[in-house]
Amino acid sequence: MNQAMSPTTFSARYTGVALLLLAAASSRAAEAPPYTVLLQQSMALAPTMAVQAANVRAASADAAQARAWLNPRIDTVLENLGAPASDGVSQRQNTYSITQPLEIGGKRGARIEVGERNFAAAQARERQAQVAYAAELAVAYATAEAMLGRKTLATENLTRANEELAAARALVDSGKEASLRSAQAQASVAAAQAAEAAAINDATQALARLSAMSGASEPYTAVTGSLLTVQPTKRTVSTAIEESPSVRAAEAERNALDAQVDVERKRWIPDVGISAGVRRYGWTNASGYVVGVTASIPLLDQNRNGINAAVERVAAAQARLDGVRFEANAARQSAVSQVTATEKQLAAASEGERAAGEAYRVGRIGYESGKTSLVELLAVRRALVEARQLTIEARLARVRALAALAQADGRLAFEESR
């Protein structure tokens, strides 16, 4: 007959269940979300992206500041202090004036143009950083997934090794196998244990890197999505090299330096100021008005060297742009070739894994029936493990190639994947 549960026992069990649920929730909270969700989160949280966003905001503020008008200047001049009086009237004069500097010859427009082009360059650099970061994050995500797959494979291999050890001991005990076979099976178990420990360490490191890249507050323990098996959308239209983020960034930087040349060429134009004010005479209420025009004389400094320096910077930027175009073209061609090669590599690896799995199944049946030796079975299992590892490596290589192609095309890697 069942006895009633005491309040103390019920409370203890309730607390235990609550702790288990809390632990399960914590483990789920530490799992990395699907890649597309993680990418969106990382664009706002990752330190690398925060740096780029701050640079763009700073460039925007600089562009807005470039539109500001020059501040006026107030002057006060006190003259004839301590001068002798004339017919009993003080000769002191106080002049108060305000001067407004004027930017003539298009100096203000040139300054504004530099601010706007620097802002465009900052935006281009941010886009370049976003595309590069998405490709790097995709590779890190797929690497973590691959390392977890290897960890699972190592655990399964250890399980098979233990099963083979049990079978070998049974055959040795029954006199059907020599004791050497048991030692061989034990050595295989030890090797599988070492491989599992190494796989666990690799998975931990890959997850830690993914956490650091995405700006997660705690290290991830698993990934909830998959990039290794995703089938990306096929692109039928070839992307022009000018769409490459690196080319756009280099071109924007060249344009910003080109605008600076105009600023340097207008720097020799005289700085003009118009002033107006009032002058009070002595200690009387009499006063007069003053107006004036000031201008610098570009006699000793016409900024020729400054202009030459700006022109040379544009030439250097143009050379960098030409080099970036060549590199972008080569990178895209290489990425296309890598995608094609990895697709073939993956197909071959998948076929090899299927064949190795069938071979192990047949070998295991043969060993248990006494038709296959333990040495042959161990060799077949090693071949199965290697074939599955090759499949994982081929899938990871395909992700790397697709991420490189997306970066060359100026797209966020796997942004469209689900």
Side-chain angles (χ1 to χ4, degrees), residues 85-152:
S86 175
D87 296 331
V89 178
S90 173
Q91 298 298 308
R92 179 174 175 177
Q93 297 178 1
N94 300 337
T95 305
Y96 308 95
S97 64
I98 181 170
T99 303
Q100 175 62 53
L102 300 178
E103 294 177 294
I104 63 174
K107 297 176 73 173
R108 181 173 181 269
R111 188 179 73 247
I112 293 174
E113 182 69 16
V114 169
E116 291 178 348
R117 292 195 179 184
N118 282 331
F119 177 50
Q123 290 178 313
R125 286 191 294 268
E126 182 186 35
R127 179 60 182 178
Q128 181 184 12
Q130 288 176 344
V131 171
Y133 175 78
E136 188 177 359
L137 183 66
V139 172
Y141 195 98
T143 301
E145 183 185 353
M147 295 303 103
L148 289 171
R150 289 181 180 179
K151 174 185 173 182
T152 301

Side-chain angles (χ1 to χ4, degrees), residues 3-242:
Q3 296 179 353
M5 184 182 298
S6 66
T8 303
T9 304
F10 178 80
S11 176
R13 291 190 179 182
Y14 179 81
T15 303
V17 172
L19 291 175
L20 288 175
L21 292 176
L22 180 60
S26 299
S27 64
R28 287 195 298 270
E31 293 180 351
Y35 169 76
T36 52
V37 177
L38 182 63
L39 178 62
Q40 294 175 358
Q41 295 176 353
S42 301
M43 286 297 180
L45 299 178
T48 303
M49 294 297 95
V51 170
Q52 295 299 325
N55 289 337
V56 171
R57 292 194 298 270
S60 177
D62 288 337
Q65 181 61 38
R67 295 181 174 277
W69 294 92
L70 298 180
N71 290 323
R73 186 182 75 247
I74 296 179
D75 297 310
T76 300
V77 179
L78 306 180
E79 301 178 78
N80 298 332
L81 297 179
S86 175
D87 296 331
V89 178
S90 173
Q91 298 298 308
R92 179 174 175 177
Q93 297 178 1
N94 300 337
T95 305
Y96 308 95
S97 64
I98 181 170
T99 303
Q100 175 62 53
L102 300 178
E103 294 177 294
I104 63 174
K107 297 176 73 173
R108 181 173 181 269
R111 188 179 73 247
I112 293 174
E113 182 69 16
V114 169
E116 291 178 348
R117 292 195 179 184
N118 282 331
F119 177 50
Q123 290 178 313
R125 286 191 294 268
E126 182 186 35
R127 179 60 182 178
Q128 181 184 12
Q130 288 176 344
V131 171
Y133 175 78
E136 188 177 359
L137 183 66
V139 172
Y141 195 98
T143 301
E145 183 185 353
M147 295 303 103
L148 289 171
R150 289 181 180 179
K151 174 185 173 182
T152 301
L153 177 60
T155 301
E156 294 175 353
N157 184 51
L158 178 59
T159 301
R160 293 191 182 95
N162 284 321
E163 292 173 353
E164 293 166 1
L165 175 60
R169 285 175 175 173
L171 292 174
V172 169
D173 292 341
S174 63
K176 296 180 180 180
E177 286 279 11
S179 58
L180 175 62
R181 302 310 181 197
S182 179
Q184 289 176 332
Q186 183 64 52
S188 177
V189 170
Q193 289 174 340
E196 183 187 37
I200 292 174
N201 178 63
D202 292 341
T204 301
Q205 291 183 356
L207 288 169
R209 171 169 171 75
L210 179 62
S211 304
M213 280 193 61
S214 60
S217 58
E218 60 180 355
Y220 293 129
T221 58
V223 294
T224 57
S226 176
L227 284 183
L228 297 181
T229 59
V230 71
Q231 295 297 329
T233 304
K234 299 295 184 181
R235 295 177 61 87
T236 58
V237 180
S238 177
T239 303
I241 297 302
E242 297 300 325

Side-chain angles (χ1 to χ4, degrees), residues 171-343:
L171 292 174
V172 169
D173 292 341
S174 63
K176 296 180 180 180
E177 286 279 11
S179 58
L180 175 62
R181 302 310 181 197
S182 179
Q184 289 176 332
Q186 183 64 52
S188 177
V189 170
Q193 289 174 340
E196 183 187 37
I200 292 174
N201 178 63
D202 292 341
T204 301
Q205 291 183 356
L207 288 169
R209 171 169 171 75
L210 179 62
S211 304
M213 280 193 61
S214 60
S217 58
E218 60 180 355
Y220 293 129
T221 58
V223 294
T224 57
S226 176
L227 284 183
L228 297 181
T229 59
V230 71
Q231 295 297 329
T233 304
K234 299 295 184 181
R235 295 177 61 87
T236 58
V237 180
S238 177
T239 303
I241 297 302
E242 297 300 325
E243 297 297 321
S244 171
S246 58
V247 174
R248 285 189 169 185
E251 187 175 12
E253 291 174 356
R254 191 277 314 273
N255 293 340
L257 291 174
D258 191 39
Q260 186 63 38
V261 172
D262 196 28
V263 171
E264 297 298 329
R265 285 174 175 165
K266 297 179 183 300
R267 198 179 296 276
W268 70 271
I269 298 176
D271 295 326
V272 178
I274 297 179
S275 59
V278 61
R279 174 173 295 169
R280 300 186 66 84
Y281 301 98
W283 298 106
T284 68
N285 291 327
S287 62
Y289 298 100
V290 294
V291 294
V293 177
T294 61
S296 61
I297 303 176
L299 182 61
L300 302 178
D301 181 11
Q302 297 182 355
N303 199 36
R304 291 195 179 99
N305 291 326
I307 296 172
N308 293 336
V311 170
E312 293 302 324
R313 291 189 186 97
V314 173
Q318 181 62 50
R320 286 195 297 271
L321 175 59
D322 295 337
V324 168
R325 283 198 178 103
F326 291 133
E327 292 175 359
N329 187 30
R332 192 179 192 285
Q333 292 179 355
S334 176
V336 171
S337 177
Q338 287 178 2
V339 170
T340 303
T342 53
E343 290 285 355

